Amino acid sequence: MKLTARQIAQILGGEVEGDSNVEVTGFARIEHGKPGTVSFFANPKYEKYVYTSRASVLLVNADFKPTAPVGPAMVRVRDAYTAVADLLKYVSCQRRKLGAHRGRSSIAWSAKLGKKVWIGDFCSIGRNCAIGDGTVIYNNVTVGDGCRIGRECVIYPGVRLYPGMVIGDNVIIHENAVIGSDGFGNAPQLDGSWQKIEHLGNVVIGDNVEIGANTTIDRAQMESTIIGKGVKIDNLCMIAHNVQIGENTVMAAQCGIAGSTKIGKNCILAGQVGIAGHLTIADNTSVGAQAGIIGNVSRPDQSLLGSPAIPVKQFLRAYVKFKQND
């Protein structure tokens, strides 16, 4: 990475105030800024660092009015926090522009690869797969027969895609995630044993989804487990068979969603949330860390906490009572 303040402003649609030719080669938090780095100022409590930062470029909101001299060249943007996210994404995408490559991998003759697809070493690409333009597949990835992967995806090392999976455009799947493993379905028998129920469905992942490392998403028994557009799933999450997750829902690490549950759009699940099976969770539901949901959430725009999860205000009132009994 090597960018001038002028180039950063062009990328972000901002304006430079100061030396537009100063160059940066990396990023740093505003309190750790040093020459050659770009930082950003978005939270008012960090304003003192604006005047002491040694960073070369500083992203600030367009309406920021300094009260003392500022050393770095400022790039004024509409929203500095969003701007630094956009700049990080730009740099990351530039690094991934690797061009076409076929490593020491096994690629079926019937597989169809788009333009500038990059495949690392020791991958296995199955029969009748289709991989879209510009997708990067790193080392030791398995793509089962009949998988469909969209454009500009990034599949990191060790990912396993079972046969028949469907991946949209601009999807990122991190190391060692498993997409399409058997659902946990077993039928009880008269003698007390369990008979495995085969799962012949698949997983369908929408555009602009990110899936964290070591996350597992089980395929459906008959139809599809569905991950909607814009969903962000952290590391070490478990999504069971037949689950449907609505668009732009986010899920922090170690969440577990049991089978056939439907989660609405724009939901937020904090770390270690557990949701029982065959439930429906309304749109815009926020669930606090370690909460457990055992019943349907039919009313949208709620914040829940506790196990079993209840509305946050009700939980806090109850917590006061718990403390009184100490």
Side-chain angles (χ1 to χ4, degrees), residues 1-3 23-27 35-38 56 91 95:
M1 165 188 167
K2 181 181 286 188
L3 294 170
E23 290 186 341
V24 297
T25 57
F27 293 85
T37 63
V38 56
S56 295
V91 172
R95 289 177 177 174

Side-chain angles (χ1 to χ4, degrees), residues 27-34 37-40 46 53 55:
F27 293 85
R29 293 168 58 181
I30 189 170
E31 62 269 38
H32 301 150
K34 58 184 179 181
T37 63
V38 56
S39 300
F40 75 100
Y46 288 94
S53 177

Side-chain angles (χ1 to χ4, degrees), residues 154-167:
V154 181
I155 314 295
Y156 282 103
V159 169
R160 301 290 182 259
L161 302 180
Y162 278 63
M165 303 302 108
V166 178
I167 314 296

Side-chain angles (χ1 to χ4, degrees), residues 155-310:
I155 314 295
Y156 282 103
V159 169
R160 301 290 182 259
L161 302 180
Y162 278 63
M165 303 302 108
V166 178
I167 314 296
D169 297 334
N170 301 302
V171 172
I172 300 172
I173 306 178
H174 288 278
E175 288 88 341
N176 299 315
V178 178
I179 312 299
S181 51
D182 255 5
F184 187 65
N186 297 276
Q189 304 299 296
L190 294 176
D191 63 359
S193 65
W194 297 86
Q195 179 178 335
K196 178 179 175 59
I197 299 174
E198 296 294 337
H199 287 66
L200 303 180
N202 70 346
V203 176
V204 176
I205 297 175
D207 299 341
N208 303 308
V209 168
E210 184 164 3
I211 297 170
N214 296 299
T215 284
T216 59
I217 304 176
D218 290 346
R219 65 178 180 265
Q221 182 178 344
M222 298 179 184
E223 298 178 358
S224 298
T225 300
I226 298 175
I227 311 298
K229 294 180 180 179
V231 168
K232 311 298 180 186
I233 301 175
D234 200 357
N235 303 331
L236 296 165
C237 292
M238 168 62 203
I239 313 298
H241 57 201
N242 297 94
V243 166
Q244 297 182 36
I245 300 179
E247 295 179 7
N248 300 316
T249 283
V250 297
M251 184 182 308
Q254 299 183 16
C255 287
I257 315 299
S260 300
T261 282
K262 184 177 182 180
I263 299 175
K265 300 177 181 179
N266 303 302
C267 294
I268 299 174
L269 308 183
Q272 296 186 336
V273 165
I275 301 180
H278 301 271
L279 300 182
T280 299
I281 310 300
D283 295 346
N284 302 298
T285 297
S286 295
V287 187
Q290 296 189 328
I293 297 180
I294 62 173
N296 291 328
V297 178
S298 56
R299 184 163 59 86
D301 305 299
Q302 290 194 82
S303 294
L304 307 176
L305 191 59
S307 187
I310 56 178

